[in-house]
Amino acid sequence: MQHGPVGLRLIRARDARTVQRELLSNRAWLQPWEATVPGGIATFDMRVSIRRLLQQHRDGIGYPFVMEYDGEIAGQLNIWGVARGSLCSATIGYWVSERFAGRGITPTAVALATDASFGRFGLHRMEICIRPENRASLRVVQKLGFRYEGLRRRYIHIDGDWRDHHAFALVKEDVPEGVLARWVRGRVPSDAGAVPPDAGALPADD
């Protein structure tokens, strides 16, 4: 998958060294947003991680990609938690190296991945969950017109604790022309992805 200088391709075993180097050189940039395991120890053995991702792909429950810019690996994008049957849904997660930030790589890659999910992969719904503090990722879903669907309390273990996440989603019928085409043509609704001002408020006492 390609749009301009931005490419999205299935991760390969031989990408391990490059991806691991990017992760280690971007620790301060990525750590606040990285998933962790309660009581576990972080590992950066990308050979093991890639083997697991490719096994998920063979099992039909994930699509692990690298994002490229002018042919150079700039980050990762994973379509995970693929549910078939009556759901036909999945979730997107991603990271991009700091040196590639600001070039439109992530929204382009997310658009490509979502279009592929609704087309080639036979999915109906795509979700992205983002920490309220992650303004860069919030801009991605707003640019692409993902719909805000609510706050998930203490949803994912990130950087050593359970963190709240805003949930955004699109279904195939939302984007008949495709996510990428709608964005490139400037047809994303101006209020798309807007988070209500009280979205993080705790419910009032009864």
Side-chain angles (χ1 to χ4, degrees), residues 179-196:
V179 181
L180 182 63
R182 186 177 72 161
W183 176 44
V184 169
R185 294 169 183 167
R187 296 179 181 173
V188 176
S190 59
D191 60 346
V195 178

Side-chain angles (χ1 to χ4, degrees), residues 150-182:
L151 183 72
R152 297 186 175 179
R153 294 286 182 190
R154 300 180 67 79
Y155 178 55
I156 304 177
H157 203 269
I158 301 285
D159 192 25
D161 202 358
W162 295 103
R163 312 289 183 175
D164 294 348
H165 281 68
H166 288 310
F168 301 84
L170 280 176
V171 295
K172 187 174 182 178
E173 291 83 358
D174 291 331
V175 283
E177 64 186 313
V179 181
L180 182 63
R182 186 177 72 161

Side-chain angles (χ1 to χ4, degrees), residues 2-203:
Q2 190 81 28
H3 179 74
V6 179
L8 197 64
R9 65 163 173 81
L10 193 68
I11 199 167
R12 299 185 288 240
R14 63 176 177 269
D15 294 324
R17 182 175 295 179
T18 301
V19 173
Q20 183 162 311
R21 184 174 63 245
E22 291 295 327
L23 284 170
L24 291 175
S25 64
N26 280 268
R27 294 307 305 130
W29 168 258
L30 296 173
Q31 188 171 344
W33 321 115
E34 285 183 344
T36 46
V37 178
I41 299 174
T43 177
F44 294 99
D45 190 337
M46 284 308 302
R47 291 172 299 177
V48 173
S49 295
I50 290 174
R51 281 200 297 269
R52 289 173 178 165
L53 289 170
L54 291 175
Q55 184 60 55
Q56 291 172 8
H57 182 244
R58 288 189 290 270
D59 292 341
I61 58 174
Y63 297 89
F65 298 103
V66 290
M67 298 186 288
E68 294 183 325
Y69 189 81
D70 282 337
E72 187 176 359
I73 291 178
Q76 281 183 269
L77 182 149
N78 292 322
I79 300 172
W80 59 275
V82 174
R84 300 289 179 180
S86 57
L87 271 179
C88 289
S89 69
T91 300
I92 284 181
Y94 50 79
W95 63 264
V96 67
S97 295
E98 185 175 14
R99 64 194 178 98
F100 287 102
R103 303 189 194 187
I105 296 170
T106 304
T108 303
V110 170
L112 288 168
T114 305
D115 285 342
S117 296
F118 291 162
R120 281 188 276 164
F121 305 156
L123 298 177
H124 177 253
R125 181 180 181 276
M126 184 59 66
E127 179 175 277
I128 299 178
C129 294
I130 301 169
R131 286 186 59 183
E133 304 88 350
N134 193 341
R135 295 184 179 181
S137 277
L138 290 174
R139 286 195 296 271
V140 169
V141 293
Q142 289 160 0
K143 285 179 181 179
L144 298 179
F146 275 71
R147 178 182 55 257
Y148 179 71
E149 294 199 335
L151 183 72
R152 297 186 175 179
R153 294 286 182 190
R154 300 180 67 79
Y155 178 55
I156 304 177
H157 203 269
I158 301 285
D159 192 25
D161 202 358
W162 295 103
R163 312 289 183 175
D164 294 348
H165 281 68
H166 288 310
F168 301 84
L170 280 176
V171 295
K172 187 174 182 178
E173 291 83 358
D174 291 331
V175 283
E177 64 186 313
V179 181
L180 182 63
R182 186 177 72 161
W183 176 44
V184 169
R185 294 169 183 167
R187 296 179 181 173
V188 176
S190 59
D191 60 346
V195 178
D198 61 347
L202 291 169

